[in-house]
Amino acid sequence: GNPANDLVEIINQNRTAQKLERLNDNPGLGCMALQYVELCKGNCSGNSAVNCKPPTDDFTEVFAPNCGVELPTIGTITGHIVGCQSKYTEPSLAFANVLVKDKKSLSVLRNKSHSEVGVGLIGFHKGPFFWCVLFSNGGTNSSFVLEDRGEGLKQKKGCYSGSAFPCNAGHRSAMLFNYIITFSYLFISLLNQI
């Protein structure tokens, strides 16, 4: 039920189809991707582009502390792709229509120096839905490590890949709630007729 994880799988399928290595899904990097797009709210243009470039220092001074990423483990970010849309889009459509829509982003996706990936996504009330993919060349389990294995982190909104926490701003949870309400209404109506 986490669309950020689904997008990581789509990214890896695309890479392996090109005979490139699969990328390790890093939750610390994913959380930092979520922090990146949270900072960019209000900067979505009509063509799914995000006009926002946080200062490089924000990765170590803002994103990492907000996520609980241990500072000595912060590795090199080897690339990023950011996109937005007026409403939620399923991961496969977000991949093709929002994130990887030109040669530049396809080149970033297929860069051979990447070894890790993290995806963050968030939707804003009466605003656009943002996706961010961060890539790193860090070693598995040694870069972007979350303190206490991520258990101390409480992200209040949005989703990020590799997370053990439930996605609390994804489209599916809203759909589930609508289904529960609908079935409850039907059940009550049925009971009233008995």
Side-chain angles (χ1 to χ4, degrees):
N2 184 340
N5 287 336
D6 296 342
L7 187 59
V8 168
E9 187 54 35
I10 292 165
I11 287 168
N12 276 323
Q13 287 171 359
N14 184 280
R15 284 179 60 89
T16 55
Q18 298 298 315
K19 299 193 176 8
L20 295 168
E21 287 186 31
R22 285 181 64 84
L23 302 175
N24 177 48
D25 187 356
N26 184 306
L29 199 57
C31 180
M32 289 175 71
L34 177 58
Q35 295 292 314
Y36 187 112
V37 291
E38 273 196 280
L39 191 70
C40 293
K41 63 184 173 188
N43 292 294
C44 183
S45 70
N47 62 353
S48 300
V50 178
N51 301 316
C52 174
K53 293 192 179 181
T56 307
D57 288 349
D58 280 4
F59 284 96
T60 54
E61 295 176 10
V62 179
F63 305 157
N66 285 352
C67 288
V69 172
E70 296 176 1
L71 291 180
T73 68
I74 294 175
T76 303
I77 307 260
T78 54
H80 71 281
I81 305 170
V82 185
C84 60
Q85 187 125 346
S86 60
K87 60 183 187 212
Y88 177 80
T89 302
E90 288 295 324
S92 58
L93 295 174
F95 177 81
N97 300 334
V98 178
L99 293 168
V100 187
K101 58 186 187 303
D102 57 29
K103 289 182 181 180
K104 181 181 176 188
S105 53
L106 190 60
S107 173
V108 171
L109 174 76
R110 294 181 178 168
N111 187 320
K112 291 180 181 177
S113 68
H114 304 325
S115 58
E116 297 182 305
V117 64
V119 173
L121 59 114
I122 191 167
F124 296 98
H125 181 65
K126 295 186 178 179
F129 204 94
F130 289 84
W131 296 82
C132 178
V133 183
L134 292 181
F135 299 97
S136 170
N137 61 359
T140 304
N141 298 326
S142 64
S143 65
F144 302 96
V145 176
L146 293 170
E147 295 169 3
D148 300 323
R149 302 179 64 147
E151 291 171 16
L153 174 70
K154 297 293 181 201
Q155 186 66 38
K156 293 188 171 133
K157 55 188 173 180
C159 305
Y160 62 94
S161 62
S163 170
F165 298 109
C167 177
N168 53 11
H171 191 256
R172 291 184 181 138
S173 59
M175 286 178 54
L176 178 62
F177 180 73
N178 287 341
Y179 288 138
I180 291 169
I181 296 296
T182 302
F183 285 120
S184 298
Y185 177 77
L186 291 173
F187 183 70
I188 291 169
S189 296
L190 184 65
L191 285 176
N192 286 339
Q193 291 178 359
I194 294 179

